[in-house]
Each structure stands twice: as C-alpha cells, then as structure tokens.
C-alpha cells in the first residue's frame, strides 16, 4: 500500500510539473526557442509573439498547412499587385501580350508608382514604398521575386521576421529615394530591385562586421 501511494504521488508530481511547464513556457515561432508564457516578444530574435502563438495555434496548424514566412507574404503581395495591374489593363481592351511588354505609364502612376512630380508637388511620399510593390512586366516580376525568395529567406532566418520586414521597408524606401534623386523629374519607377539589393547589402555588411568563419562565408556568398 505504501509503495502504491508513492507511485501515485510521483504521478501527481509529474502531472503538476508538465502542467506548470506548459503554462510557463512557449515556443518562439521564428527561432523555436523556449520563452516565458507572458513574453510578447522573443528575447533571442525579437520576433513578435501573437496571442495565436501563445495558445499554440501556429504550432498545431504547421502539421498540415505549409509554413508561411514573411518572405512568402512579401512575394504574394507583389504577385497580387501584378494581378491587379493585369486586370486593370485587360479592362482597357489590351491583350495578354502586355505582360511581356510593359504596363501603360499612366496605369502605373495611378496604382502608386514612384512618380517624381506627384511626390514633390503633391506630397505623395507613400509612392516611395508602393512603387516597390509594382512591376513593369512579368519578366521584371519573376526575376525580382526569384531573388527575393532566395535572399529574403536568408535575411529572415538571420534576423527574425520583425527585423526582416523592417529592413525590407527601409531598403525599399532608400532604393526609391535614390531612384527619385537620380532620375527626377523623369522618374516613374517600379520594382522591388532596391529592396532586394538592400537585403544583399545587409548580408554583406553582416559578413564584414562579423569576423568569423560564418561571417566570411556569408560575405563570399553574397
């Protein structure tokens, strides 16, 4: 009887331990580190932890749904904007061949291209960002998204999703500002090239500032 009581007591202790561990810890969706249950941001990679992460929804759904990264969402937004451009062109009576040529100048302006006169005279500074999500044709889109899908994943794994999206926005803005300065008043610029080259620069900068074997490898690769 004493032995059975000891077994039951041990089982109860195990249950309490597991219950306490489940309550006090959760897994960061970005770097998979164990963090406190009340943490709103991962202390290791600065990833924002949403209420869905706290109750384990993302962890459960990852078993049967493909895991979407911030890079995937950015690529999807670019394809969505391209589809909107295509629909708008088709409504004007133009054929599918426009995908392989170039979207009309005025259409890109209407949808938010980096158009210098509107930025300067009307204060439409948001064009510096929206222009980075538009592309002139299908080849332009596919090439940029191919590189973004490769480089973006590396930057996101290195810095976490929150820092990655911050870097992407800043590099896109800087690229647009350079285009605006270089081409004004004739700039009607579109494309994610500025952001993509900026992300490559981020990785090279990491390799230069981190004098380690991994840093040298990253610098050489990019």
């Amino acid at each position: 009887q004493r032995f059975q009581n000891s077994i039951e007591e041990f089982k109860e202790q195990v249950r309490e331990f597991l219950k306490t561990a489940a309550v006090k810890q959760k897994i960061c969706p970005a770097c998979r580190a164990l963090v406190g249950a009340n943490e709103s941001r991962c202390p290791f990679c600065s990833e924002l932890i949403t209420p869905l992460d706290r109750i384990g929804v993302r962890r459960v759904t990852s078993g049967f749904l493909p895991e979407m990264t911030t890079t995937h969402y950015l690529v999807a937004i670019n394809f969505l904007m391209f589809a909107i451009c295509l629909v708008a062109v088709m409504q004007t009576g133009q054929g599918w061949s426009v995908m392989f040529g170039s979207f009309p100048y005025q259409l890109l302006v209407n949808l938010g291209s980096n158009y210098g006169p509107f930025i300067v005279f009307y204060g439409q500074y948001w064009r510096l960002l929206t222009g980075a999500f538009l592309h002139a044709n299908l080849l332009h889109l596919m090439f940029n998204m191919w590189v973004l899908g490769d480089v973006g994943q590396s930057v996101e794994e290195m810095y976490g999703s929150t820092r990655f999206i911050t870097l992407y926005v800043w590099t896109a803005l800087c690229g647009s500002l350079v285009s605006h300065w270089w081409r004004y008043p004739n700039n009607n610029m579109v494309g994610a090239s500025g952001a993509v080259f900026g992300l490559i620069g981020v990785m090279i900068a990491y390799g230069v500032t981190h004098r380690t074997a991994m840093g040298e490898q990253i610098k050489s690769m990019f």
Side-chain angles (χ1 to χ4, degrees):
Q1 182 66 32
R2 183 184 303 173
F3 178 74
Q4 187 175 0
N5 291 339
S6 299
I7 292 295
E8 291 299 325
E9 184 178 350
F10 175 74
K11 287 181 179 180
E12 187 62 29
Q13 290 176 353
V14 170
R15 291 193 195 99
E16 289 298 323
F17 171 78
L18 292 176
K19 187 185 299 182
T20 303
V23 170
K24 290 187 176 180
Q25 290 184 319
K26 58 192 174 189
I27 298 176
C28 170
C31 67
R32 303 299 181 186
L34 286 175
V35 299
N38 296 323
E39 295 283 354
S40 60
R41 191 176 295 275
C42 176
F44 301 100
C45 68
S46 299
E47 171 72 3
L48 184 66
I49 301 176
T50 66
L52 291 179
D53 296 315
R54 294 193 185 98
I55 61 177
V57 170
R58 192 185 305 191
R59 188 169 65 251
V60 172
T61 57
S62 63
F64 57 90
L65 292 177
E67 184 175 356
M68 290 288 289
T69 64
T70 304
T71 303
H72 292 144
Y73 286 119
L74 286 173
V75 171
I77 292 171
N78 279 276
F79 272 99
L80 175 62
M81 293 305 299
F82 185 82
I84 292 173
C85 290
L86 188 59
V87 170
V89 166
M90 298 295 287
Q91 289 180 345
T92 64
Q94 300 186 51
W96 292 93
S97 60
V98 71
M99 285 196 306
F100 306 98
S102 181
F103 287 125
Y105 187 94
Q106 189 59 47
L107 172 67
L108 294 175
V109 172
N110 293 340
L111 290 177
S113 64
N114 179 11
Y115 184 55
F118 282 12
I119 294 173
V120 172
F121 295 112
Y122 298 106
Q124 297 180 356
Y125 302 111
W126 46 269
R127 289 179 175 273
L128 295 171
L129 182 60
T130 56
F133 290 91
L134 297 169
H135 289 82
N137 54 46
L138 184 60
L139 182 62
H140 187 203
L141 173 72
M142 295 300 293
F143 181 77
N144 276 341
M145 293 305 100
W146 170 52
V147 181
L148 174 59
D150 185 22
V151 179
Q153 295 279 19
S154 300
V155 177
E156 188 171 359
E157 289 176 9
M158 182 76 67
Y159 290 96
S161 299
T162 303
R163 290 179 181 175
F164 165 65
I165 194 63
T166 302
L167 288 169
Y168 186 86
V169 170
W170 274 109
T171 52
L173 289 172
C174 289
S176 296
L177 282 170
V178 171
S179 296
H180 177 75
W181 171 76
W182 188 263
R183 296 289 300 275
Y184 183 81
N186 300 314
N187 56 304
N188 185 32
M189 311 298 290
V190 294
S193 304
V196 169
F197 277 108
L199 294 179
I200 294 174
V202 166
M203 296 302 285
I204 294 174
Y206 180 91
V208 170
T209 56
H210 292 75
R211 303 299 181 111
T212 62
M214 185 177 74
E216 288 297 322
Q217 184 179 5
I218 290 174
K219 184 177 68 175
S220 300
M221 181 171 63
F222 285 94

